[in-house]
Amino acid sequence: HSCMITNYKNAVENIRRELKHYVMQSGLKSLVVGMSGGIDSALTAALAKPVCEELGIPLIGRSITILTNKPDEIERARQMGRFFCTDFEDVNLSHGFELLAAFAVEEWDSEDRQSFDFKIRMGNIKARTRMVYLYDLAAKHKGMVLSTDNYTELLLGFWTLHGDVGDYGMIQNLWKTEVYEMARYMASQMADTDAAAALLSCVNAVPTDGLGITNSDLDQIKAGSYEEVDQILIEMMRESEKGKSLENHPVVQRNRRSEFKRSNPYNLPRNMITETPLY
């Protein structure tokens, strides 16, 4: 498929060069990344590590668990933190989340806590709790939060507004398929076999948001694999004949339903309000 990266060596070098330039230009003193045990945060940390080493700034990684994170996810995050971050800690924010949810959710006691909608809402609050923690760390260490979102997730609306955010996205414009391939390529180039194994364990893991909504991301997206998801989205973006025939596919429907997230915040243009110019 002509739109997938073929030269990963080049792509990795480009990403690192741009990140280095941005950090130097902005005078940042650290980079912060939330390590989930998933492939996106793993790739983000692996990309950033040599840049931080070169600039002599810390790569601060935090595995933030809130109630629903599974032991295997936490262990993968720990391994990635050990090999790729200069400053890594496990943080459990379950208590803080429960306090926040009890105070932020109306009629908390009478809610049906097993319903899908309620789990989605709690997932959003968990993501926003993590975000508050990471941004405070970045402020404390005069740095910025690295984004761990990819292009497939962007098109699916598979992230939390004001929750899964970052200041700098190295992989925001990579398809999920490319995220996996880039991580495989990088693992194959690593001299440290333990570090490579830690990265590959994230490649091979079941993709999950760690929010306890469904067993895997693909369950929520209603597709068999990310390769399938990416191909559907590519046909949709190209507005090909095949793309038009997929209009009712859950993946395309999900893209349509989440448009409001991609145009957030929507600010009413001044020319729709008044003929008087802004300046």
Side-chain angles (χ1 to χ4, degrees), residues 120 123-124 127-128 130 147-166 172 209 211 220 254-255 258-264:
I120 292 274
N124 287 336
R128 289 166 187 149
R130 292 190 306 221
S147 167
T148 60
D149 288 326
N150 59 62
Y151 194 61
T152 304
E153 289 175 344
L154 178 77
L155 290 183
L156 293 171
F158 204 70
W159 84 96
T160 297
L161 280 175
H162 320 301
D164 296 303
V165 288
Q172 179 70 82
D209 57 19
L211 300 172
Q220 269 185 81
R254 192 179 172 106
N255 168 264
S258 59
E259 182 52 43
F260 75 97
K261 286 184 161 185
R262 287 180 292 281
S263 55
N264 177 275

Side-chain angles (χ1 to χ4, degrees), residues 66-67 93-111 113 118-130:
I66 305 179
L67 298 176
L93 294 187
S94 298
H95 181 58
F97 159 74
E98 287 178 312
L99 289 174
L100 177 61
F103 133 88
V105 175
E106 295 190 1
E107 295 168 28
W108 169 253
D109 293 327
S110 61
E111 294 274 4
R113 302 193 190 186
F118 187 76
K119 285 181 177 176
I120 292 274
R121 285 165 51 202
M122 290 309 99
N124 287 336
I125 296 177
K126 286 172 191 171
R128 289 166 187 149
T129 305
R130 292 190 306 221

Side-chain angles (χ1 to χ4, degrees), residues 11-31 44 47-57 144 146 168-170:
V12 168
E13 284 168 2
N14 290 342
I15 289 171
R16 285 175 169 157
R17 182 190 66 244
E18 292 302 318
L19 177 65
K20 183 184 174 186
H21 179 71
Y22 188 92
V23 170
M24 287 169 69
Q25 209 174 23
S26 310
L28 295 163
K29 301 287 182 272
S30 72
L31 294 178
T44 299
L47 284 165
K49 181 182 187 245
V51 175
C52 290
E53 283 171 351
E54 216 176 311
L55 295 174
I57 64 170
M144 69 175 178
L146 291 172
Y168 189 97
M170 291 181 278

Side-chain angles (χ1 to χ4, degrees), residues 4 8 47 70 74 76 86 94 103 113-114 121 129 134 137 153-154 164 181 192 215 220 230 264:
M4 292 289 166
Y8 281 97
L47 284 165
K70 298 189 173 80
I74 297 167
R76 285 195 304 275
T86 39
S94 298
F103 133 88
R113 302 193 190 186
Q114 292 314 306
R121 285 165 51 202
T129 305
L134 293 172
L137 259 185
E153 289 175 344
L154 178 77
D164 296 303
E181 287 304 317
D192 184 339
N215 289 327
Q220 269 185 81
D230 286 350
N264 177 275

Side-chain angles (χ1 to χ4, degrees), residues 168-185:
Y168 189 97
M170 291 181 278
I171 64 171
Q172 179 70 82
N173 288 304
L174 296 188
W175 293 100
K176 186 81 174 191
T177 315
E178 293 174 322
V179 168
Y180 281 116
E181 287 304 317
M182 184 174 281
R184 284 192 189 100
Y185 162 75

